[in-house]
Tab-separated table of all heavy atoms in Angstrom:
chain	number	residue	atom	x	y	z
C	618	MET	N	91.262	107.037	91.378
C	618	MET	CA	92.182	108.124	91.040
C	618	MET	C	92.613	108.818	92.337
C	618	MET	O	93.863	109.102	92.433
C	618	MET	CB	91.441	109.135	90.150
C	618	MET	CG	92.248	110.355	89.807
C	618	MET	SD	91.399	111.532	88.727
C	618	MET	CE	90.132	112.177	89.863
C	619	TYR	N	91.758	109.105	93.218
C	619	TYR	CA	92.118	109.745	94.462
C	619	TYR	C	93.167	108.909	95.287
C	619	TYR	O	94.132	109.381	95.746
C	619	TYR	CB	90.894	110.017	95.334
C	619	TYR	CG	89.844	110.917	94.757
C	619	TYR	CD1	88.515	110.716	95.072
C	619	TYR	CD2	90.151	111.960	93.910
C	619	TYR	CE1	87.522	111.555	94.538
C	619	TYR	CE2	89.176	112.796	93.364
C	619	TYR	CZ	87.845	112.578	93.708
C	619	TYR	OH	86.901	113.387	93.154
C	620	ARG	N	92.775	107.621	95.360
C	620	ARG	CA	93.599	106.746	96.153
C	620	ARG	C	95.029	106.594	95.583
C	620	ARG	O	96.009	106.712	96.275
C	620	ARG	CB	92.917	105.339	96.180
C	620	ARG	CG	93.573	104.294	97.081
C	620	ARG	CD	93.419	104.652	98.524
C	620	ARG	NE	91.995	104.586	98.948
C	620	ARG	CZ	91.530	105.237	100.007
C	620	ARG	NH1	92.320	106.092	100.684
C	620	ARG	NH2	90.264	105.161	100.349
C	621	ALA	N	95.085	106.460	94.211
C	621	ALA	CA	96.410	106.287	93.597
C	621	ALA	C	97.243	107.584	93.759
C	621	ALA	O	98.450	107.576	93.933
C	621	ALA	CB	96.205	106.001	92.098
C	622	GLY	N	96.549	108.729	93.630
C	622	GLY	CA	97.253	110.030	93.716
C	622	GLY	C	97.971	110.248	95.045
C	622	GLY	O	99.124	110.636	95.123
C	623	VAL	N	97.216	109.992	96.157
C	623	VAL	CA	97.795	110.309	97.472
C	623	VAL	C	98.895	109.250	97.801
C	623	VAL	O	99.903	109.601	98.470
C	623	VAL	CB	96.736	110.283	98.593
C	623	VAL	CG1	95.823	111.470	98.419
C	623	VAL	CG2	95.939	108.957	98.651
C	624	LEU	N	98.727	107.994	97.274
C	624	LEU	CA	99.795	107.036	97.515
C	624	LEU	C	101.077	107.433	96.698
C	624	LEU	O	102.178	107.348	97.254
C	624	LEU	CB	99.333	105.611	97.061
C	624	LEU	CG	98.311	104.972	98.011
C	624	LEU	CD1	97.779	103.673	97.390
C	624	LEU	CD2	98.985	104.666	99.337
C	625	GLU	N	100.887	107.790	95.450
C	625	GLU	CA	102.044	108.142	94.595
C	625	GLU	C	102.827	109.333	95.161
C	625	GLU	O	104.024	109.359	95.167
C	625	GLU	CB	101.571	108.460	93.215
C	625	GLU	CG	102.675	108.847	92.235
C	625	GLU	CD	102.183	109.271	90.897
C	625	GLU	OE1	100.963	109.045	90.544
C	625	GLU	OE2	103.009	109.827	90.142
C	626	HIS	N	102.063	110.338	95.700
C	626	HIS	CA	102.720	111.525	96.202
C	626	HIS	C	103.007	111.496	97.680
C	626	HIS	O	103.416	112.470	98.298
C	626	HIS	CB	101.805	112.766	95.898
C	626	HIS	CG	101.781	113.023	94.448
C	626	HIS	ND1	102.664	113.854	93.808
C	626	HIS	CD2	100.896	112.591	93.484
C	626	HIS	CE1	102.382	113.913	92.469
C	626	HIS	NE2	101.293	113.202	92.274
C	627	GLU	N	102.776	110.282	98.273
C	627	GLU	CA	103.079	110.040	99.706
C	627	GLU	C	102.443	111.094	100.594
C	627	GLU	O	103.164	111.708	101.456
C	627	GLU	CB	104.626	109.977	99.900
C	627	GLU	CG	105.260	108.855	99.125
C	627	GLU	CD	106.758	108.806	99.280
C	627	GLU	OE1	107.412	109.847	99.579
C	627	GLU	OE2	107.337	107.726	99.184
C	628	LEU	N	101.140	111.301	100.467
C	628	LEU	CA	100.442	112.262	101.233
C	628	LEU	C	99.464	111.591	102.198
C	628	LEU	O	98.852	110.584	101.839
C	628	LEU	CB	99.653	113.206	100.255
C	628	LEU	CG	100.543	114.093	99.411
C	628	LEU	CD1	99.677	114.731	98.276
C	628	LEU	CD2	101.201	115.183	100.223
C	629	GLU	N	99.309	112.170	103.346
C	629	GLU	CA	98.298	111.687	104.299
C	629	GLU	C	96.944	112.236	103.876
C	629	GLU	O	96.804	113.411	103.470
C	629	GLU	CB	98.631	112.183	105.722
C	629	GLU	CG	97.708	111.601	106.782
C	629	GLU	CD	98.036	112.087	108.185
C	629	GLU	OE1	99.084	112.828	108.372
C	629	GLU	OE2	97.324	111.808	109.153
C	630	SER	N	95.940	111.437	103.998
C	630	SER	CA	94.580	111.875	103.584
C	630	SER	C	93.529	111.059	104.277
C	630	SER	O	93.758	109.985	104.816
C	630	SER	CB	94.442	111.718	102.050
C	630	SER	OG	94.305	110.374	101.712
C	631	VAL	N	92.274	111.635	104.214
C	631	VAL	CA	91.051	110.925	104.608
C	631	VAL	C	90.059	111.175	103.516
C	631	VAL	O	90.053	112.251	102.868
C	631	VAL	CB	90.497	111.349	105.988
C	631	VAL	CG1	91.496	111.048	107.078
C	631	VAL	CG2	90.141	112.846	105.954
C	632	MET	N	89.243	110.192	103.238
C	632	MET	CA	88.104	110.328	102.246
C	632	MET	C	86.786	110.022	102.975
C	632	MET	O	86.692	109.062	103.687
C	632	MET	CB	88.226	109.301	101.110
C	632	MET	CG	89.311	109.588	100.141
C	632	MET	SD	89.093	108.526	98.666
C	632	MET	CE	90.772	108.160	98.252
C	633	PHE	N	85.854	110.972	102.798
C	633	PHE	CA	84.494	110.746	103.391
C	633	PHE	C	83.500	111.597	102.658
C	633	PHE	O	83.825	112.439	101.809
C	633	PHE	CB	84.569	111.236	104.863
C	633	PHE	CG	84.892	112.678	105.065
C	633	PHE	CD1	83.919	113.631	105.167
C	633	PHE	CD2	86.224	113.117	105.116
C	633	PHE	CE1	84.254	114.993	105.304
C	633	PHE	CE2	86.560	114.428	105.246
C	633	PHE	CZ	85.548	115.403	105.342
C	634	GLY	N	82.205	111.387	102.940
C	634	GLY	CA	81.265	112.326	102.395
C	634	GLY	C	80.125	111.638	101.640
C	634	GLY	O	79.814	110.455	101.807
C	635	HIS	N	79.593	112.381	100.682
C	635	HIS	CA	78.267	112.146	100.108
C	635	HIS	C	78.405	111.215	98.899
C	635	HIS	O	78.104	111.622	97.749
C	635	HIS	CB	77.638	113.497	99.729
C	635	HIS	CG	77.843	114.553	100.769
C	635	HIS	ND1	77.527	114.353	102.102
C	635	HIS	CD2	78.365	115.794	100.709
C	635	HIS	CE1	77.766	115.458	102.792
C	635	HIS	NE2	78.339	116.334	101.969
C	636	ILE	N	78.705	109.997	99.175
C	636	ILE	CA	78.959	109.010	98.122
C	636	ILE	C	77.713	108.754	97.274
C	636	ILE	O	77.761	108.349	96.119
C	636	ILE	CB	79.607	107.762	98.650
C	636	ILE	CG1	80.225	106.887	97.517
C	636	ILE	CG2	78.581	106.938	99.450
C	636	ILE	CD1	81.031	105.777	98.072
C	637	GLY	N	76.548	108.919	97.881
C	637	GLY	CA	75.298	108.763	97.197
C	637	GLY	C	75.172	109.638	95.961
C	637	GLY	O	74.646	109.297	94.948
C	638	ASN	N	75.750	110.860	96.083
C	638	ASN	CA	75.781	111.831	94.980
C	638	ASN	C	77.137	111.819	94.222
C	638	ASN	O	77.453	112.728	93.470
C	638	ASN	CB	75.590	113.279	95.503
C	638	ASN	CG	74.225	113.507	96.130
C	638	ASN	OD1	74.126	113.723	97.302
C	638	ASN	ND2	73.192	113.462	95.259
C	639	ASN	N	77.899	110.711	94.447
C	639	ASN	CA	79.234	110.624	93.783
C	639	ASN	C	80.125	111.847	94.185
C	639	ASN	O	80.861	112.341	93.353
C	639	ASN	CB	79.115	110.516	92.262
C	639	ASN	CG	78.114	109.521	91.819
C	639	ASN	OD1	78.241	108.310	92.199
C	639	ASN	ND2	77.124	109.943	91.116
C	640	HIS	N	79.944	112.224	95.363
C	640	HIS	CA	80.572	113.512	95.895
C	640	HIS	C	81.346	113.170	97.161
C	640	HIS	O	80.781	113.206	98.262
C	640	HIS	CB	79.454	114.499	96.107
C	640	HIS	CG	79.878	115.760	96.835
C	640	HIS	ND1	79.021	116.547	97.634
C	640	HIS	CD2	81.084	116.392	96.894
C	640	HIS	CE1	79.688	117.551	98.085
C	640	HIS	NE2	80.950	117.511	97.684
C	641	ILE	N	82.590	112.855	96.994
C	641	ILE	CA	83.452	112.492	98.136
C	641	ILE	C	84.466	113.547	98.398
C	641	ILE	O	85.156	114.088	97.478
C	641	ILE	CB	84.158	111.127	97.891
C	641	ILE	CG1	83.153	110.007	97.782
C	641	ILE	CG2	85.206	110.840	98.913
C	641	ILE	CD1	83.717	108.638	97.423
C	642	HIS	N	84.592	113.925	99.665
C	642	HIS	CA	85.622	114.895	100.086
C	642	HIS	C	86.903	114.129	100.383
C	642	HIS	O	86.949	113.259	101.212
C	642	HIS	CB	85.182	115.619	101.394
C	642	HIS	CG	83.920	116.434	101.228
C	642	HIS	ND1	83.806	117.442	100.336
C	642	HIS	CD2	82.746	116.325	101.841
C	642	HIS	CE1	82.592	118.008	100.423
C	642	HIS	NE2	81.923	117.342	101.375
């Protein structure tokens, strides 16, 4: 969902963080 959203809206982004807790920034 995150990946599709930033691509659709042509936004620059980075994703990182606490994936063990399903908690990505």
